[in-house]
């Protein structure tokens, strides 16, 4: 209660906020998205239809949302963090209900203009909710077990719902995101060890709960060459595309694997493969470099924030971006099983773009409101 | 503030850990990129090329077949066909419904299409209909937007301009059957056709040529994107037959006057087959496009066997045309001399059995020349009895009977020349002397093909050389024609001269049995021998009252009408054999056909000599101007 008096937050005018926007970061995001649009243009064999044009529109809308999210006071987001999380959780349940009625796996809600995937948005929602929770918990209490039950439930509930869809990849994604925020918040390391041990013990049970196609994916990952025309086809063709790209690639729109349709899903999950086939290892490293720079901004913003909520939020968002990038690229290079995670800002897809732009909005918002201090309990605007 | 700063300290330490982990994992990604794109790049480049590059066969154009003067007998024609690619069609049934509104599709075609679609991979084109005319092509092209997956392709199809006139010589090409697949990938090409009969089958490998190939870039479903390189194949070699197209047509036209007949005209010196005809025939073009089961049943069930090449596969008792063999056997064995005389009373007796001459009143005294001229059966009963069946058979074999002539056509028959041993082995009972008598007039067990009879006549005509018939003139390495060398059969010129004189009298001296069918043109006279082969046994009762005339009997019981001959009589060049099944008397039916063929053959030969010399004059003139 005393903190409010010590550091009264000066209200910022909209004009000043706009000046505070981290334009370098916006430029990096735009550059990455532009690469994505170019790749979609190539994926359609040199045509703006059907993907590139729509992706431009999505990016435009996303940018608007990014600025909106960034300019709204961070205290507002803290206040409504649980509510937003709750709405997303309800949407996940709704998807589950619709899916069971529609006799099949459904992952999206049709809003007319966009088919919204709540599980995708949940990646940011979980960060928001955990940031608010750990913001309120003191450094001592973070070390105490009882304080961990609530946040574990926050991760567990959506993960279980997503797993039931069934979408193993996204469920693991949510757990990893949560774990990252836990770690950043200062949860003791041995507790992670405990969780890993528990997870190890749970593997046989989880395996029996997996659907045959999910089991097959894992088998295929372990030895893709045994079934080159069946389940292993995608990953094998992806490796051929990558490898044949070499150091400098085959040139824009010259990727034989991509353009002759050997490469599956080249506009979505396997778009990195296409980029690396056409622009080679150099192109792949440039993209990795761009992501690294964005994450570097994320770290700087996180460390610069004077409120713990902002720190955790920025760090969490940065981790979400990293997990996206790592899982996708590791997947197309055959390092991990194919789980269906898009390449952020590049892959064709509305919800992922929206999720990322909202996340980046929080990042920039944290920067704009870096000097706002928020008391541990309550506060806000 | 203290609390927050301690929390910040812990936070920044943790953040450093997280950052380090990220750097580590990103390095892992970069390392994997290096491994795939630099270290193993060559391997993957090769795999990518294997993916996209596909080797496709280019079927070579089939060689054409021409007659001895270069006139086309079998050619390739541009052929428009409509094909379907299953994977581009949403619903094949609906598409076929739409299509049958444009071109009429029979039910059996529809079933075949659906069957092939099921069997082949989804992107392999399946032929819907071949040999489209222009009207259908344009109608399909106009409706193309409603017919995704359909396309018009230009191919080549075999065409036989003379249709049934050459059916038995040329044969036909048709789709490869499962049994014929040898591992040559060309044979597995959809729509590829091979020779199934006749010359098309025997010379299939020469006509087929060698396949070329093209390297094409394909996409993941196998569709061709572009051609990368192309290696042309070797077209099939053209084939020149010894057949004279005009003569073949004449033979066919003349024989068509009969229900079932065949003829062969050969060059007695080099064995060239100038005409080889069997009637009725069939249209080989129907086989190329695929015969409907109705047409097939009609051909199979036709009592006149249109599918059989009777000139080489039809077996007939040679009848009186066999008498030269008996005469030569006797002369060569020095058992009888040409002036050996026999009195013909119209029949002769052997034990209790009576053997009749065709002339019931008898011929009176006959020597060997008379016996040929009048075709006296009693004379040859006597000679055959003296010579014995084994010596007759030996002479028959020398003259080319009882063995395949070796002509370049499939399914040639051997025939039968009986001997004592043959009967013992095959039937198990000993040879009866009466059977020798019957054999002496070319009846009983004796069976020959028309082509064998032509070869026999040619060997008599050419002075005893073992000529064999051929449809193709063999060439040496440089493509120059090789003249064949035939062995002497070891028959004395004197004996042959006797028989030839007998044959001369048949046609050229009244009252020879074929005097009515003589060639009056000087220098083109024909010698020959008629044959009337009985196909039924004439009962004693019938003989006692009156032997029914041929036209009074049902067709199947009428005699076969035969004629063999050569021309010109004094310097033989060509030999002919004509067999008209159940045609009746040889002199009345077969002999006139044989005369027409030999006359035309000789006229064409002299006309060609004139054309050749006229052509030489023209070219000389041109040079002058």
């Amino acid at each position: 209660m005393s903190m409010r008096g010590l550091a009264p937050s000066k209200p910022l005018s909209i004009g000043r906020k706009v000046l505070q926007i981290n334009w370098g970061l916006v430029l990096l995001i735009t550059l990455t998205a532009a690469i994505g649009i170019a790749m979609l243009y190539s994926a359609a064999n040199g045509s703006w239809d059907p993907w590139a044009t729509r992706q431009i529109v999505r990016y435009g809308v996303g940018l608007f949302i990014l600025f909106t999210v960034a300019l709204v006071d961070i205290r507002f987001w803290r206040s409504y963090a649980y509510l937003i999380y709750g709405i997303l959780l309800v949407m996940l349940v709704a998807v589950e209900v619709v899916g069971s009625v529609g006799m099949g796996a459904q992952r999206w809600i049709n809003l007319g203009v966009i088919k919204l995937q709540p599980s995708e948005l949940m990646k940011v929602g979980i960060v928001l909710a955990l940031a608010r929770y750990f913001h309120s918990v003191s450094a001592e209490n973070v070390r105490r077990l009882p304080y961990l039950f609530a946040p574990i439930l926050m991760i567990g509930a959506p993960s279980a719902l997503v797993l039931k869809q069934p979408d193993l990849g996204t469920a693991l994604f949510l757990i990893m995101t949560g774990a990252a925020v836990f770690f950043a918040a200062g949860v003791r390391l041995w507790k992670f060890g405990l969780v890993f041990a528990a997870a190890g013990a749970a593997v046989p049970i989880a395996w029996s709960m997996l659907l045959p196609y999910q089991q097959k994916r894992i088998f295929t990952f372990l030895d893709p060459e045994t079934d080159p025309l069946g389940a292993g086809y995608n990953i094998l063709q992806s490796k051929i595309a990558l490898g044949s790209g070499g150091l400098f690639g085959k040139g824009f729109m010259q990727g034989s694997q991509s353009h002759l349709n050997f490469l599956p899903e080249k506009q979505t999950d396997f778009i990195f493969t296409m980029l690396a086939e056409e622009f080679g290892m150099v192109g792949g490293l440039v993209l990795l470099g761009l992501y690294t720079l964005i994450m570097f901004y994320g770290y700087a913003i996180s460390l610069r924030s004077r409120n713990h909520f902002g720190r955790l939020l920025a760090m969490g968002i940065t981790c979400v971006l990293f997990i996206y990038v790592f899982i996708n690229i590791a997947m197309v290079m055959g390092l991990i099983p194919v789980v269906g995670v898009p390449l952020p800002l590049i892959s064709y897809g509305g919800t992922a773009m929206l999720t990322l732009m909202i996340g980046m909005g929080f990042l920039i918002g944290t920067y704009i409101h870096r000097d706002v201090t928020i008391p541990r309990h309550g506060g806000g605007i | 503030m203290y609390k927050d700063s301690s929390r910040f300290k812990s936070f920044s330490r943790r953040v450093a850990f997280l950052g380090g982990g990220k750097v580590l994992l990103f390095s892992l990604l970069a390392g994997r990129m290096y491994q795939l794109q630099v270290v193993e790049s060559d391997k993957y480049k090769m795999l990518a090329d294997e993916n996209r590059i596909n080797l496709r066969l280019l079927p070579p154009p089939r060689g054409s077949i021409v007659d001895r003067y270069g006139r086309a007998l079998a050619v390739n024609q541009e052929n428009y066909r409509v094909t379907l690619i299953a994977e581009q069609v949403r619903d094949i049934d609906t598409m076929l419904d739409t299509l049958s509104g444009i071109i009429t599709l029979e039910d059996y075609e529809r079933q075949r299409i659906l069957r092939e679609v099921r069997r082949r991979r989804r992107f392999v084109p399946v032929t819907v209909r071949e040999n489209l005319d222009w009207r259908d092509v344009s109608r399909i092209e106009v409706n193309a937007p409603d017919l995704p997956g359909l396309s018009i392709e230009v191919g080549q199809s075999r065409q036989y301009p003379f249709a049934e006139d050459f059916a038995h010589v040329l044969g036909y090409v048709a789709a490869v059957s499962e049994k014929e697949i040898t591992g040559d990938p060309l044979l597995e090409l959809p729509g590829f056709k091979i020779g199934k009969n006749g010359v098309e089958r025997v010379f299939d490998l020469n006509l087929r040529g060698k396949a070329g190939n093209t390297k094409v870039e394909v996409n993941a479903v196998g569709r061709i994107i572009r051609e990368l390189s192309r290696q042309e194949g070797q077209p099939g070699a053209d084939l020149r037959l010894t057949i004279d197209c005009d003569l073949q047509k004449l033979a066919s036209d003349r024989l068509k006057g009969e229900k079932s007949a065949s003829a062969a005209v050969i060059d007695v010196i080099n064995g060239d087959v100038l005409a080889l005809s069997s009637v009725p025939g069939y249209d080989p073009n129907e086989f190329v496009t695929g015969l409907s089961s109705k047409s097939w049943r009609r051909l199979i069930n036709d009592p006149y066997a249109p599918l059989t090449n009777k000139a080489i596969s039809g077996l007939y008792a040679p009848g009186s045309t066999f008498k030269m063999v008996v005469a030569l056997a006797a002369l060569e064995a020095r058992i009888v001399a040409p002036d050996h005389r026999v009195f013909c009373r119209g029949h002769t007796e052997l034990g209790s059995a009576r053997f009749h001459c065709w002339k019931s009143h008898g011929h009176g005294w006959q020597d060997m020349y008379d016996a040929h001229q009048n075709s006296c059966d009693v004379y040859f009963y006597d000679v055959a009895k003296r010579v014995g069946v084994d010596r007759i058979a030996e002479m028959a074999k020398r003259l080319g009977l009882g063995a395949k002539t070796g002509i370049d056509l499939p399914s040639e028959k051997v025939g039968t020349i009986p001997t004592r041993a043959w009967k013992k082995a095959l039937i198990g009972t000993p040879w009866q002397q009466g059977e020798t008598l019957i054999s002496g007039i070319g009846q009983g067990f004796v069976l020959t093909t028309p082509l064998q009879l032509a070869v026999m006549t040619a060997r008599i005509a050419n002075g005893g050389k073992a000529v064999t018939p051929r449809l193709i003139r063999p060439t040496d390495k440089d493509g120059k024609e090789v003249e064949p060398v035939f062995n002497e059969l070891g028959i004395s010129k004197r004996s042959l001269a006797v028989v030839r004189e007998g044959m001369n009298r048949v046609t050229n001296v009244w009252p020879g049995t074929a005097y009515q069918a003589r060639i009056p043109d000087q220098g083109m006279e024909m010698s020959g021998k008629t044959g009337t082969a009985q196909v039924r046994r004439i009962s004693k009762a019938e003989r006692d009252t009156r032997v029914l005339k041929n036209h009074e009997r049902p067709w199947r019981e009428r005699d076969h009408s035969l004629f063999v001959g050569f021309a010109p009589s004094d310097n033989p060049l060509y030999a002919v054999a004509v067999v008209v099944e159940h045609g009746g008397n040889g002199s009345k039916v077969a002999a006139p056909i044989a005369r027409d063929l030999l006359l035309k053959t000789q006229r064409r030969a002299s006309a060609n000599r004139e054309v050749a010399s006229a052509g030489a004059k023209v070219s000389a003139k041109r040079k002058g101007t």
Side-chain angles (χ1 to χ4, degrees):
Chain A
M1 285 297 145
S2 59
M3 287 196 178
R4 192 183 284 169
L6 280 172
S9 307
K10 273 177 266 170
L12 290 164
S13 71
I14 288 289
R16 282 192 59 195
K17 281 188 182 179
V18 170
L19 286 176
Q20 294 288 323
I21 286 175
N22 204 320
W23 291 106
L25 184 52
V26 173
L27 185 72
L28 283 175
I29 292 166
T30 307
L31 213 57
T32 312
I35 290 174
I37 287 157
M39 289 328 291
L40 289 174
Y41 176 81
S42 173
N45 292 320
S47 163
W48 294 100
D49 276 334
W51 301 308
T53 322
R54 290 159 91 179
Q55 188 78 347
I56 290 170
V57 172
R58 282 168 184 173
Y59 175 70
V61 172
L63 206 58
F64 175 77
I65 291 169
L66 179 146
F67 287 134
T68 311
V69 169
L71 295 176
V72 170
D73 195 296
I74 197 163
R75 284 164 293 192
F76 171 89
W77 292 120
R78 196 202 72 94
S79 308
Y80 290 94
Y82 288 159
L83 182 66
I84 292 166
Y85 172 84
I87 290 170
L88 288 173
L89 205 59
V90 168
M91 280 164 82
L92 273 178
V93 174
V95 162
E96 186 61 36
V97 172
V98 174
S100 65
V101 171
M103 297 292 285
Q106 188 155 9
R107 294 171 182 180
W108 40 263
I109 291 174
N110 198 343
L111 296 180
V113 280
I114 187 173
K115 285 177 176 174
L116 208 60
Q117 248 179 290
S119 59
E120 203 68 31
L121 288 171
M122 195 47 136
K123 290 168 183 173
V124 171
I126 218 165
V127 172
L128 207 58
L130 289 175
R132 169 164 178 173
Y133 181 82
F134 284 114
H135 171 80
S136 310
V137 178
S138 69
E140 293 79 34
N141 286 345
V142 161
R143 295 156 183 246
R144 297 203 177 101
L145 203 54
Y147 285 88
L148 293 183
F149 290 136
I152 283 173
L153 205 65
M154 281 183 206
I155 302 167
S159 302
L161 282 169
V162 169
L163 190 61
K164 208 169 167 292
Q165 275 183 355
D167 186 351
L168 180 67
T170 307
L172 287 172
F173 195 119
L174 292 176
I175 292 167
M176 279 187 273
T177 308
V181 180
F182 267 51
F183 182 78
V187 176
R188 307 204 86 177
L189 284 173
W190 66 265
K191 296 203 176 78
F192 284 95
L194 200 69
V195 171
F196 275 122
V203 162
I205 303 161
W207 178 259
S208 66
M209 282 169 70
L210 289 178
L211 292 175
Y213 90 91
Q214 291 170 319
Q215 293 182 347
K216 197 174 178 191
R217 274 189 182 177
I218 293 171
F219 274 133
T220 304
F221 161 69
L222 292 174
D223 195 2
E225 266 98 49
T226 50
D227 189 12
L229 287 174
Y233 181 83
N234 290 4
I235 198 63
L236 187 66
Q237 293 303 336
S238 177
K239 278 162 78 179
I240 292 173
L242 277 160
S244 63
L247 196 55
F248 298 105
K250 298 174 185 172
F252 186 53
M253 308 231 294
Q254 302 296 314
S256 69
Q257 286 284 105
S258 315
H259 288 281
L260 299 175
N261 287 330
F262 288 100
L263 188 66
E265 304 284 328
K266 58 177 181 282
Q267 79 280 17
T268 55
D269 290 357
F270 284 88
I271 198 162
F272 180 80
T273 305
M274 188 178 170
L275 176 115
E277 187 189 13
E278 299 195 344
F279 296 107
M281 184 178 168
V282 171
L285 287 180
V286 165
L287 187 66
L288 270 190
L290 278 175
Y291 285 128
T292 309
L293 280 176
I294 294 173
M295 283 187 275
F296 186 78
Y297 268 97
Y299 273 79
I301 289 167
S302 173
L303 291 169
R304 174 67 182 78
S305 174
R306 291 184 60 189
N307 56 75
H308 203 53
F309 175 72
R311 284 177 206 144
L312 288 171
L313 183 62
M315 183 48 51
I317 295 298
T318 310
C319 286
V320 167
L321 179 73
F322 173 80
I323 295 169
Y324 263 119
V325 174
F326 181 78
I327 291 186
N328 179 272
I329 296 179
M331 168 182 94
V332 302
M333 292 198 297
L335 286 172
I336 59 167
V338 176
V339 284
V341 168
L343 189 62
L345 302 170
I346 306 264
S347 284
Y348 179 75
T351 317
M353 175 66 87
L354 189 66
T355 307
L356 261 304
M357 293 306 259
I358 290 171
M360 292 299 118
F362 283 132
L363 212 55
I364 293 171
T366 305
Y367 181 71
I368 294 170
H369 305 93
R370 58 190 178 277
D371 288 326
V372 172
T373 53
I374 309 169
R376 207 132 62 84
H377 297 287
I381 40 174
Chain B
M1 205 57 215
Y2 160 72
K3 275 171 189 170
D4 197 58
S5 75
S6 91
R7 195 153 75 159
F8 181 72
K9 250 169 123 181
S10 144
F11 176 75
S12 49
R13 203 167 52 241
R14 290 283 171 108
V15 162
F17 266 116
L18 279 174
K22 279 172 190 155
V23 168
L24 213 67
L25 288 173
F26 262 28
S27 310
L28 179 69
L29 292 184
R32 177 66 166 175
M33 257 185 248
Y34 179 77
Q35 184 200 356
L36 290 177
Q37 300 195 279
V38 176
V39 179
E40 295 176 4
S41 183
D42 288 342
K43 169 182 140 193
Y44 288 117
K45 272 182 183 141
M46 204 181 70
L47 286 172
D49 277 349
E50 274 178 25
N51 260 347
R52 74 186 177 99
I53 295 170
N54 209 326
L55 206 64
R56 307 221 163 188
L57 282 181
L58 295 171
R62 195 173 175 85
S64 39
I65 303 175
V66 297
D67 86 338
R68 64 190 291 122
Y69 301 119
R71 278 166 301 185
L73 304 179
V75 290
N76 301 322
Q77 222 189 21
E78 298 252 291
N79 163 22
Y80 292 88
R81 62 171 188 264
V82 57
T83 58
L84 168 161
I85 296 171
E87 65 172 6
Q88 296 174 1
V89 181
R90 193 178 293 267
D91 179 32
I92 290 183
D93 272 311
T94 327
M95 204 275 300
L96 290 179
D97 285 341
T98 319
L99 185 65
S100 51
I102 299 164
I103 56 171
T104 44
L105 273 182
E106 301 289 336
D107 259 0
Y108 72 88
E109 286 182 284
R110 222 186 151 104
Q111 276 157 23
R112 177 190 58 78
I113 294 161
L114 292 174
R115 202 168 50 238
E116 278 195 45
V117 164
R118 272 196 303 275
R119 222 179 33 216
R120 296 190 193 279
R121 291 171 71 182
R122 305 281 297 166
F123 58 81
V124 175
V126 167
T127 304
V128 173
R129 166 76 68 78
E130 278 188 300
N131 304 304
L132 293 169
D133 57 26
W134 260 112
R135 207 175 53 115
D136 287 342
V137 170
S138 47
R139 288 173 88 174
I140 290 170
E141 291 286 10
V142 165
N143 288 289
D146 300 333
L147 299 163
L150 276 193
S151 58
I152 303 275
E153 284 178 22
V154 189
Q156 289 196 319
S157 75
R158 201 67 160 168
Q159 238 231 337
Y160 303 102
F162 292 96
E164 60 188 16
D165 293 338
F166 277 88
H168 295 115
V169 173
L170 296 177
Y172 51 86
V173 294
V176 184
S177 72
E178 297 287 333
K179 278 183 291 183
E180 287 159 335
I181 286 176
T182 55
D184 182 349
L186 197 54
L187 295 181
E188 288 168 54
L189 222 56
F192 191 76
K193 295 192 164 80
I194 59 166
K196 294 282 189 161
N197 209 338
V199 167
E200 289 272 33
R201 173 164 148 196
V202 174
F203 294 97
D204 187 58
L205 286 179
N206 308 50
L207 290 164
R208 195 189 290 172
K210 292 223 160 54
N213 60 55
T214 163
K215 270 187 186 169
V216 289
E217 187 173 80
V218 296
N219 68 5
V221 291
R223 197 182 322 293
I224 299 174
I225 304 300
R226 64 191 165 121
E227 189 173 76
L228 300 173
S229 74
R230 172 183 274 260
Q231 192 190 343
E232 293 296 343
Q234 193 188 334
D238 291 344
L239 208 60
R240 180 188 286 263
L241 300 186
T242 58
I243 301 270
D244 175 345
C245 170
D246 284 359
L247 196 65
Q248 176 80 6
K249 245 188 104 36
L250 175 73
S252 176
D253 289 344
R254 287 292 276 112
L255 295 177
K256 271 184 220 165
E258 310 298 331
K259 288 192 171 72
S260 179
S262 55
V265 180
I266 65 176
D267 185 313
V268 303
I269 308 298
N270 61 22
D272 280 0
V273 176
L274 297 166
L276 190 73
S277 183
S278 176
V279 164
Y282 58 88
D283 184 356
N285 293 305
E286 281 187 49
F287 282 82
V288 178
T289 54
L291 210 56
S292 71
S293 57
K294 201 177 124 198
S295 306
W296 174 247
R297 254 176 288 134
R298 185 172 48 73
L299 287 173
I300 284 284
N301 296 329
D302 190 322
Y304 306 122
L307 291 175
T308 309
N309 183 359
K310 298 183 192 98
I312 59 165
S313 306
L315 289 176
Y316 306 95
S320 301
T321 59
F322 194 64
K323 284 172 179 166
M324 286 84 80
V325 177
V326 179
L328 283 172
L331 291 169
E332 286 297 284
R334 299 182 180 282
I335 286 165
V336 297
D339 56 1
H340 170 74
R341 298 208 319 159
V342 173
F343 188 81
C344 171
R345 282 177 285 135
H347 60 85
T348 188
E349 257 120 37
L350 185 75
S352 60
R354 178 172 276 205
F355 294 83
H356 294 271
C357 186
W358 66 269
K359 193 169 182 182
S360 46
H361 314 300
H363 289 102
W365 281 108
Q366 298 279 299
D367 66 9
M368 193 166 274
Y369 304 108
D370 304 326
H372 275 90
Q373 183 179 6
N374 303 319
S375 198
C376 177
D377 292 337
V378 169
Y379 183 89
F380 283 96
Y381 290 145
D382 176 77
V383 174
K385 195 167 67 184
R386 289 166 193 269
V387 182
V389 70
D390 288 345
R391 270 193 284 242
I392 295 172
E394 195 269 332
M395 180 55 69
K397 290 260 165 74
R398 272 208 261 177
L399 292 171
L401 303 180
K404 288 189 181 183
T405 66
I407 191 161
D408 305 309
L409 287 175
S411 56
E412 187 185 8
K413 287 269 167 63
V414 177
T416 309
I417 296 300
T419 60
R420 287 165 197 279
W422 170 85
K423 192 189 173 197
K424 188 83 187 152
L426 196 80
I427 302 170
T429 52
W431 186 263
Q432 307 288 320
Q433 201 174 18
E435 289 165 342
T436 305
L437 269 59
I438 294 294
S439 300
I441 59 162
Q443 297 267 165
F445 297 116
V446 187
L447 288 175
T448 57
T449 67
L451 183 63
Q452 284 175 340
L453 291 178
V455 168
M456 172 193 82
T457 311
R459 289 181 179 186
I460 293 169
N462 70 12
K465 290 194 180 64
V467 64
T468 51
R470 59 179 188 179
L471 280 167
I472 307 290
R473 292 186 168 179
T475 51
D476 62 13
K477 292 196 298 286
D478 309 322
K480 280 184 74 178
E481 283 177 3
V482 187
E483 278 305 315
V485 181
F486 297 116
N487 294 330
E488 291 287 339
L489 291 166
I491 304 170
S492 72
K493 302 284 176 217
R494 208 167 49 84
S495 304
L496 288 167
V498 171
V499 171
R500 279 206 300 266
E501 175 52 20
M503 292 171 79
N504 178 43
R505 290 207 201 168
V506 171
T507 46
N508 298 322
V509 178
W510 194 87
T513 51
Y515 184 71
Q516 299 297 327
R518 71 191 175 280
I519 294 176
D521 308 41
Q522 194 161 15
M524 293 192 181
E525 294 91 346
M526 165 177 84
S527 298
K529 182 73 196 76
T530 55
T532 306
Q534 236 171 270
V535 294
R536 57 167 201 147
R537 201 182 168 83
I538 300 171
S539 68
K540 174 103 177 35
E542 189 185 336
R543 216 178 272 283
D544 284 348
T545 53
R546 184 180 71 87
V547 177
L548 289 171
K549 293 264 162 54
N550 265 311
H551 63 84
E552 295 166 334
R553 299 181 228 151
W555 186 75
R556 287 241 164 254
E557 291 186 8
R558 292 179 199 168
D559 301 332
H560 289 323
S561 174
L562 297 91
F563 189 86
V564 300
F566 59 84
S569 284
D570 52 358
N571 177 28
L573 293 172
Y574 308 104
V576 68
V578 175
V579 176
V580 178
E581 282 186 20
H582 310 292
N585 196 302
S587 57
K588 295 204 179 76
V589 182
I593 296 173
R595 174 204 54 208
D596 292 352
L597 291 176
L598 280 184
L599 189 57
K600 173 97 171 178
T601 308
Q602 296 181 84
R603 285 192 174 149
R604 282 191 60 74
S606 63
N608 273 309
R609 278 193 293 275
E610 277 164 30
V611 166
S613 58
K617 272 178 209 157
V618 167
S619 63
K621 229 177 174 182
R622 279 216 187 105
K623 265 176 205 158
T625 53

